Amino acid sequence: MAKRLPPLNPLRAFEAAARHASLTKAAGELNVTHGAVSHQIRALEQSLGVKLFERSGQRVKLTPHGAEFLPAVSAAFDGIAAATQRMTRPASAGALSVSCVPALLLLWMTPRLGSFTAQYPDIQLTLIPSNDPKDIRAADIDVCVHYGDGSWTDCWIRKWSGLELFPVVSPTLINNRPIRSVRDLADHVFLHGDDGREWHTWLAAADALDLERGRRHRLGDARMATEAAVHGHGVALGDSVTARALLARGMLVAPFSLSVPAVDDFYVVCRNEMRSAPIVQLFIDWLFAEKEQDEARADAPVAGRVLSRRKRPSLKVIGARTAS
C-alpha cells in the first residue's frame, strides 16, 4: 500500500513560513499571494489533524506539532534539491565543497591543487579547513577528508591513509641545540598539536616517559604545531603524510628513526547520496591516485626522511642537516 503523504504545495508553504516565521515572506519566496500561503497551511493542518502554527499579526510561531514536523519536511526538500543538483551538473564541471583536516589541507592537499586543476579545469573547489564531524551531514559540503577512528554512522566511508608519528625539528634549531639522544629533548620546547597524548605515546615507545619536560606550547592542532617547528620554536610530532614534503625540502629534520602509529587514521567520508555524484567520484579517485603516487615515491632516497616503523625500533640519531 502506498504511503499517504500530504500534497507538495502545502508542504512547501509550511516549510517556507516556518523558516521565515512570516506568511508574507513565504509568499514572496514562493511567488504566490499571502492568502494562498495561508490557505495551503490551513489545508495541511486539516489534512494532518493538528495545528502547526500560532498566528500573531504578521508573524507565525510553530506549535509543538509544527516544531516536530519541520525537520523531516526540511530534510526531504534538502534531499530533493541535492539530488536535482547532482543530476543536472556535468560529471567534470561545477562546484565541489571539501572539508579537510587543517594540517592535511595546508601541507598535503594545497600543494597538489595544480594536479587537480590540470585534470579537471572546470571544477571549482571550495576547501574548508575543518575536522568537525558535523560537516559530514552538512548540506553545503560534498565530501570530507577527516581524521578519526572511522566510527561515523549512516554515511559512506573509506580509509584513505594511516600515519606514523615522529619528532621533527628545524635544521637551524637542531644545529644550534643538538639532539644526540632522546634525553636531549629535555633541552627543547615540546610543541603539542593535541592534549599531549601523542607525545606520551612516542615517549612511551622510546622508554622515556620519565623525561623531564618543562617548556611546552599547546598549539591547537597538528598544522600549527608543525608550522611552529618549521619556524624553530621547538620540537613537534610530524606525521608520515603531511611532513614528508617538509622533510624532503629540508625545512624539517627527523632526528630519530623511531616512529609510532597514530591513534586514528585519515578517512574520506560523505553522505550516502553524495557518493554516486560523478563530481564527487572524480575527486575521491584523484585523492587515492595521488596517495598511490606518494607511496611510489616513498622508496626514493630523501635526506632526513622518516624510516619505517620497526617491531623493536631503535633510537638511532639521524645526522642533522647543515643550516643553509
Side-chain angles (χ1 to χ4, degrees), residues 145-316:
V145 188
H146 281 187
Y147 179 71
D149 60 7
S151 62
W152 305 289
T153 58
D154 193 27
C155 58
W156 181 89
I157 179 171
R158 181 179 172 190
K159 180 179 173 180
W160 181 70
S161 177
L163 61 163
E164 301 277 328
L165 303 176
F166 47 87
V168 291
V169 62
S170 76
T172 300
L173 183 60
I174 201 172
N175 281 332
N176 292 335
R177 194 175 300 163
I179 300 176
R180 298 185 177 89
S181 74
V182 69
R183 296 291 159 185
D184 290 331
L185 290 174
D187 297 327
H188 289 265
V189 177
F190 280 74
L191 303 173
H192 294 273
D194 67 345
D195 58 3
R197 283 178 292 179
E198 290 182 342
W199 263 115
H200 184 277
T201 300
W202 190 87
L203 289 170
D207 294 324
L209 284 177
D210 61 340
L211 183 72
E212 290 289 337
R213 285 177 285 163
R215 296 168 298 164
R216 64 188 72 188
H217 294 312
R218 299 193 186 279
L219 282 301
D221 62 33
R223 171 186 58 88
M224 295 178 64
T226 302
E227 283 291 307
V230 168
H231 289 288
H233 299 313
V235 184
L237 279 180
D239 69 68
S240 52
V241 177
T242 64
R244 184 185 302 277
L246 298 174
L247 291 167
R249 284 158 33 205
M251 298 174 70
L252 287 174
V253 171
F256 303 108
S257 64
L258 172 64
S259 62
V260 297
V263 174
D264 293 326
D265 301 301
F266 288 128
Y267 290 88
V268 182
V269 196
C270 66
R271 302 189 305 282
N272 289 317
E273 66 270 21
M274 291 305 301
R275 179 63 183 96
S276 59
I279 198 170
V280 171
Q281 292 183 29
L282 289 177
F283 182 77
I284 293 175
D285 290 345
W286 174 80
L287 277 175
F288 280 92
E290 287 291 317
K291 184 65 175 64
E292 287 179 5
Q293 290 184 25
D294 274 5
E295 292 171 350
R297 288 191 292 262
D299 293 331
V302 176
R305 65 176 291 187
V306 177
L307 304 183
S308 299
R309 182 171 58 93
R310 307 169 186 171
K311 291 182 179 179
R312 299 179 60 85
S314 69
L315 282 177
K316 177 182 177 183

Side-chain angles (χ1 to χ4, degrees), residues 34 140 297:
H34 179 285
D140 58 345
R297 288 191 292 262

Side-chain angles (χ1 to χ4, degrees), residues 2-38:
K3 294 181 180 180
R4 181 173 176 270
L5 296 174
L8 178 60
N9 283 338
L11 286 175
R12 292 181 64 204
F14 163 72
E15 190 276 336
R19 181 159 32 84
H20 291 294
S22 167
L23 299 185
T24 301
K25 291 182 179 179
E29 177 182 314
L30 299 175
N31 198 28
V32 297
T33 65
H34 179 285
V37 172
S38 180

Side-chain angles (χ1 to χ4, degrees), residues 40-90:
Q40 289 171 355
I41 290 175
R42 283 198 301 270
L44 181 60
E45 290 176 328
Q46 292 173 1
S47 173
L48 297 174
V50 297
K51 194 172 184 180
L52 299 173
F53 288 108
E54 297 285 352
R55 293 164 176 80
S56 177
Q58 295 296 320
R59 308 290 294 178
V60 291
K61 180 181 178 181
L62 287 169
T63 66
H65 286 301
E68 180 182 1
F69 192 43
L70 178 61
V73 174
S74 297
F77 280 120
D78 287 344
I80 293 171
T84 302
Q85 184 182 27
R86 293 195 303 272
M87 291 178 64
T88 56
R89 65 184 179 183

